[in-house]
Amino acid sequence: MENISFTSRLKPITLSEFRHTISSIGSQNSVDFPWSINQTRKGKDVYTTNVIDCSSCLITNGQEAVLMHLTPDTEQNHAFSLVLAKLRNLLDLKDSNLQAVLLGSKNHKKSLDIYNKFKELLKQLNIPFSEFKNGKTPTSIAYKTSSDEVYITNNTIDKLLKKNMKASDTLNASFENLTISSCDEIA
């Protein structure tokens, strides 16, 4: 999947900017509690909030997006045959324009299990992805197709942006592990 014809912009924003961004998306495209496979959303614009020890995966082709937010506390979320089946129902997994953002996890067994399974699945499907692992504070993510931007926020990002820290430095300081895919750029 090296023929990606667009570049997603990864944009750290303040908490108030995030609230404004999601107000135009609407709650029907929010992945909300109880954060299971059933709450997966597909739309032009999607978002989720409060990713702590959960794992959130956003997959887009630039025209639409699918967003999952899976808690490690729900046993069914560890069954990745179900995750794959859900994705197959919502996306053409052979689309050469697919790219993803993987966000979340904490360093404990159940949390890492889901995160690592997402990582392996994306690799098996040859979907390039950017990785935001182990946020220092609860993290929220949104995607808008009109701008092809992924918006990321948490308390750490909010504080650092208000101190005028550079976007890339803000993200590096907010996550234990940050890897940016060659098909993404930090805004």
Side-chain angles (χ1 to χ4, degrees):
M1 294 204 179
E2 312 205 353
N3 302 331
I4 294 188
S5 59
F6 67 97
T7 301
S8 288
R9 292 169 34 106
L10 306 169
K11 188 171 184 178
I13 60 176
T14 65
L15 293 168
S16 63
E17 289 173 315
F18 190 83
R19 282 189 295 276
H20 177 73
T21 299
I22 66 173
S23 69
S24 67
I25 294 174
S27 60
Q28 72 280 5
N29 285 334
S30 168
V31 181
D32 209 353
F33 184 81
W35 300 309
S36 72
I37 295 168
N38 293 334
Q39 280 68 51
T40 299
R41 292 291 176 261
K42 178 181 179 179
K44 288 195 172 291
D45 304 329
V46 291
Y47 74 93
T48 193
T49 59
N50 293 317
V51 179
I52 303 171
D53 63 343
C54 301
S55 292
S56 182
C57 186
L58 167 76
I59 303 175
T60 182
N61 61 9
Q63 305 298 312
E64 58 189 356
V66 170
L67 182 61
M68 292 184 147
H69 179 164
L70 303 180
T71 179
D73 299 331
T74 302
E75 245 355 273
Q76 185 183 33
N77 289 344
H78 294 267
F80 262 62
S81 59
L82 299 175
V83 170
L84 180 58
K86 184 70 160 183
L87 291 174
R88 280 191 176 128
N89 286 334
L90 297 173
L91 289 168
D92 173 8
L93 295 176
K94 293 185 182 356
D95 183 341
S96 64
N97 281 318
L98 291 178
Q99 58 191 64
V101 173
L102 180 58
L103 169 86
S105 186
K106 288 293 179 204
N107 289 323
H108 61 80
K109 187 177 178 180
K110 287 181 106 177
S111 180
L112 287 169
D113 180 60
I114 292 176
Y115 190 89
N116 290 332
K117 284 178 178 176
F118 263 130
K119 209 169 162 176
E120 285 307 307
L121 181 63
L122 292 168
K123 287 178 183 176
Q124 287 172 6
L125 296 171
N126 292 315
I127 298 173
F129 63 97
S130 290
E131 184 177 358
F132 297 84
K133 187 175 182 186
N134 290 355
K136 296 183 178 168
T137 55
T139 303
S140 299
I141 184 171
Y143 176 77
K144 293 186 94 173
T145 56
S146 60
S147 60
D148 192 28
E149 287 184 319
V150 177
Y151 303 97
I152 301 168
T153 195
N154 60 34
N155 285 329
T156 307
I157 290 171
D158 184 72
K159 287 176 188 169
L160 295 174
L161 288 175
K162 288 177 179 174
K163 291 180 179 178
N164 294 319
M165 188 179 269
K166 225 170 63 170
S168 58
D169 293 339
T170 298
L171 290 173
N172 276 315
S174 301
F175 297 92
E176 184 179 295
N177 184 7
L178 173 68
T179 308
I180 305 300
S181 167
S182 61
C183 59
D184 289 332
E185 67 183 19
I186 297 175

